[in-house]
Amino acid sequence: MNQNPATKIMVVEDETIVALDIQSRLLKFGYEVVAVCSSGEEALAQVPSVLPDLILMDIMLAGELDGIKTAEQIRSRYDLPVIFLTAYADEKTLQAAKLTEPYGYVLKPFEERELHSNIEMGLYRHKLEREIKESRQWFATTLKCIGDAVIATNEKGIVVFMNAVAQALTGWPESAAVGAELSTVFRIVNETTRQPAENPALRALREGVITGLANHTILLARDGREFPIDDSAAPIRDERGNIIGVVLVFRDVSERKQAEDQIRRYNEQLEELVRVRTARLQQLERQRLENEKLAATGRMAARIAHEINNPLAGIKNSFLLIKDHVPRDHPDYEFVPRLEREIDRIAGIVQQMFTLYRPDRNLTREYPASEAIRDVVALVRSGAQQAGVTITVAIEQAGQARVDSEGTLRQVLFNLLRNAIEASPPGSEIKVEATARDGWLNLIVADQGCGIPEEIQSQVFEPFFTTKSGSATGGLGLGLSISKNLAEASGGSIHFESREGRGTTFHILLPLAGSAPIRSADN
């Protein structure tokens, strides 16, 4: 008996008695007979309404449509399986019936078992064919809609399928490409040498392995366009493992290549900026060391001059007293003016030593303050990072400072930042702020260190005074003294506020270019 009671069958037979006999047998098998028609025209009219699962069709039907023509229209319109019933087995009739691709051919008179087996085989075959057709349609739709280009070939490398993306990239419409050799449709060369590149699909066919393109491969389209591509090819095998074709998947990587080229250019530019910046920092470091040497020399000369000046004043006063008591006619009086000139010469040398590092304020020039601040911060930032200290910078229209040299502002800020880093505990912050108001550049360096004890604050700017002598970094005690000297030499000033345990804030006032300060630098 039939295992599927819902199977619906239409009978098309123009002999009433035969039709009733067939209907009876079908009901006996457990099938549902949804219609019994005597002509092809009647069958075509009822198929849409009853939608049978299978049709038993007599080849010889009365009317304009015989069974073969009726089956042909049913197959093209509704894709339903048809099994022919006929008493004629001549070659001509069989050949005509084959053209309609029937699912069975039963000769009258037939046995029940023969009829039943033909129906079941026809239903099973139609089910398999429909599943295969749906699967093919699903895969074809998927390949057509996929974002990559897809080309499929047979085992000889002849194109059998191309999706829309592949057609757009190669310039070949599917109608022209199908049947052509893959190497004609898919032409690739090396980007540098312009020599033909090995076709990965042909290699996949030859070796039976998944293959890919080498880098720098260019696809030459039919219309002359060129695309950099990536691709891969895989062999298609049947159920026995035999290679029956290959599928080639590739994509246009122009945008990715442009992005990679852009990144490469950015990296080159960044490397050049780093190189220039490094050279600039090295130059600043050399300039800083030179300025520091000059400033230290100047301060040392000033201290020596100060030490010489006191006894020299005593010598000069004593000489004047002696001079008044030596008669002009004394034989040794000639040494008096000579001694006086030598004393004056020594005094001149002392004065030169006093002014060795005190430039003329009338020779000041204008320099961009923000640039100097950023340069110095960049110079000390690595040292701050090693000490675990963060430096934040806030510059509010710093303008151009009027100082004796470009190194003045840099030297002052460097000395203050270096001191701040050494005084700051790990995890703390140093703030550098710059504002331009009322003709003055106000530069602030504030740390969160231990602060300066109140009892030694009055000595901070004295030469050779230092609190670092016992530390690993050490110091000559000239940094703040030099900074004060440099600021004052440019017409500015420097002062600080500090409380033990709460850090120290230094204020540097320097005149701005193009304006006269409305208050003194000491305020």
Side-chain angles (χ1 to χ4, degrees):
M1 296 296 291
N2 177 35
Q3 300 300 316
N4 182 9
T7 301
K8 299 181 293 183
I9 297 180
M10 172 185 280
V11 178
V12 184
E13 171 63 61
D14 57 358
E15 294 185 15
T16 304
I17 295 177
V18 175
L20 291 175
D21 178 57
I22 294 173
Q23 181 180 14
S24 174
R25 297 188 187 197
L26 293 176
L27 293 174
K28 181 179 178 182
F29 296 150
Y31 299 119
E32 178 185 357
V33 179
V34 293
V36 177
C37 304
S38 59
S39 67
E41 291 83 358
E42 182 183 359
L44 288 173
Q46 291 202 39
V47 165
S49 59
V50 298
L51 290 176
D53 297 312
L54 182 139
I55 298 174
L56 293 175
M57 178 80 68
D58 185 15
I59 289 181
M60 298 301 179
L61 294 174
E64 295 184 3
L65 293 178
D66 60 12
I68 294 176
K69 292 181 180 179
T70 303
E72 183 178 4
Q73 293 194 35
I74 289 174
R75 181 177 65 85
S76 62
R77 294 183 190 179
Y78 307 108
D79 188 27
L80 295 174
V82 175
I83 294 177
F84 283 127
L85 303 174
T86 182
Y88 300 93
D90 59 281
E91 185 66 24
K92 182 178 180 182
T93 301
L94 289 175
Q95 292 299 325
K98 285 181 181 179
L99 298 177
T100 65
E101 299 179 3
Y103 284 76
Y105 198 93
V106 181
L107 292 176
K108 300 176 183 178
F110 47 79
E111 296 182 359
E112 288 186 353
R113 185 172 62 182
E114 180 185 6
L115 178 62
H116 187 211
S117 63
N118 270 270
I119 291 174
E120 289 298 316
M121 290 298 296
L123 290 170
Y124 180 72
R125 176 186 163 193
H126 183 258
K127 178 183 177 184
L128 288 181
E129 289 182 354
R130 176 169 290 179
E131 289 176 351
I132 292 172
K133 183 180 295 184
E134 290 176 351
S135 177
R136 286 178 176 174
Q137 290 176 345
W138 187 87
F139 280 112
T141 301
T142 300
L143 293 176
K144 288 180 179 179
C145 297
I146 197 170
D148 290 339
V150 179
I151 300 177
T153 75
N154 62 16
E155 72 280 3
K156 296 180 180 180
I158 303 300
V159 176
V160 297
F161 171 82
M162 287 181 73
N163 69 355
V165 180
Q167 295 175 57
L169 289 179
T170 62
W172 282 77
E174 187 177 29
S175 58
V178 171
E181 292 185 358
L182 178 62
S183 57
T184 301
V185 177
F186 184 73
R187 297 172 54 230
I188 52 177
V189 298
N190 180 273
E191 179 181 20
T192 305
T193 66
R194 307 299 294 184
Q195 294 299 312
E198 183 182 19
N199 193 310
L202 299 181
R203 181 185 171 194
L205 277 174
R206 183 176 66 251
E207 301 179 7
V209 296
I210 298 175
T211 61
L213 273 180
N215 293 331
H216 311 294
T217 300
I218 298 295
L219 171 67
L220 303 179
R222 189 183 190 186
D223 54 9
R225 293 174 300 155
E226 297 184 0
F227 303 96
I229 61 170
D230 280 345
D231 80 345
S232 63
I236 303 173
R237 301 179 184 271
D238 61 17
E239 64 276 6
R240 292 183 296 276
N242 299 319
I243 296 176
I244 59 174
V246 67
V247 59
L248 174 67
V249 181
F250 57 99
R251 66 194 61 84
D252 178 10
V253 295
S254 298
E255 291 185 2
R256 190 190 75 190
K257 192 171 185 301
Q258 291 173 0
E260 290 174 349
D261 290 342
Q262 186 67 39
I263 291 172
R264 177 181 54 77
R265 288 193 294 271
Y266 284 155
N267 286 337
E268 291 175 353
Q269 293 173 2
L270 181 59
E271 289 174 359
E272 177 63 16
L273 288 174
V274 170
R275 186 190 66 78
V276 172
R277 191 65 172 172
T278 301
R280 176 61 174 164
L281 291 176
Q282 291 172 346
Q283 179 186 6
L284 290 172
E285 176 65 10
R286 289 192 297 270
Q287 181 181 349
R288 182 193 67 78
L289 291 174
E290 186 64 28
N291 288 342
E292 192 170 78
K293 290 177 182 178
L294 290 174
T297 302
R299 293 302 300 174
M300 180 68 74
R303 177 156 186 166
I304 294 173
H306 177 75
E307 296 300 323
I308 294 175
N309 200 46
N310 288 331
L312 180 62
I315 292 172
K316 187 171 184 178
N317 291 334
S318 298
F319 170 75
L320 292 176
L321 292 174
I322 295 172
K323 176 184 176 182
D324 291 341
H325 290 83
V326 177
R328 289 182 177 272
D329 57 356
H330 192 280
D332 296 323
Y333 186 81
E334 62 176 312
F335 295 104
V336 172
R338 186 179 300 175
L339 288 172
E340 188 172 20
R341 286 194 302 270
E342 292 303 313
I343 291 174
D344 290 339
R345 189 165 70 86
I346 295 173
I349 293 173
V350 171
Q351 184 61 34
Q352 289 177 358
M353 294 175 68
F354 268 124
T355 59
L356 180 62
Y357 203 73
R358 290 191 178 181
D360 189 345
R361 295 185 185 181
N362 295 325
L363 298 179
T364 57
R365 297 182 181 179
E366 301 172 0
Y367 300 98
S370 58
E371 179 180 340
I373 294 169
R374 291 192 179 95
D375 284 345
V376 174
V377 170
L379 192 63
V380 302
R381 195 177 293 279
S382 62
Q385 291 173 348
Q386 292 177 3
V389 179
T390 302
I391 300 178
T392 60
V393 180
I395 301 175
E396 180 186 331
Q397 298 179 348
Q400 294 201 351
R402 193 169 69 242
V403 290
D404 62 279
S405 70
E406 186 178 9
T408 293
L409 179 57
R410 299 176 190 274
Q411 184 67 37
V412 172
L413 182 57
F414 181 87
N415 289 339
L416 295 180
L417 277 175
R418 184 174 60 180
N419 287 347
I421 292 171
E422 293 174 352
S424 298
S428 62
E429 179 186 35
I430 297 174
K431 294 182 179 180
V432 179
E433 300 178 2
T435 58
R437 286 190 180 87
D438 300 327
W440 292 100
L441 168 66
N442 185 14
L443 181 60
I444 299 174
V445 177
D447 64 56
Q448 298 174 335
C450 58
I452 301 173
E454 186 174 356
E455 62 270 17
I456 65 171
Q457 290 185 8
S458 61
Q459 300 172 269
V460 165
F461 291 114
E462 290 183 5
F464 304 103
F465 175 80
T466 178
T467 60
K468 307 179 205 173
S469 57
S471 68
T473 56
L476 296 175
L478 289 172
L480 291 177
S481 177
I482 291 172
S483 299
K484 185 174 185 295
N485 185 55
L486 290 173
E488 292 176 350
S490 296
S493 67
I494 180 171
H495 66 278
F496 69 91
E497 304 153 1
S498 182
R499 293 183 63 183
E500 288 190 72
R502 297 191 179 182
T504 302
T505 300
F506 277 88
H507 298 265
I508 306 99
L509 287 175
L510 293 172
L512 286 173
S515 62
I518 64 172
R519 59 179 184 197
S520 68
D522 295 330
N523 291 334

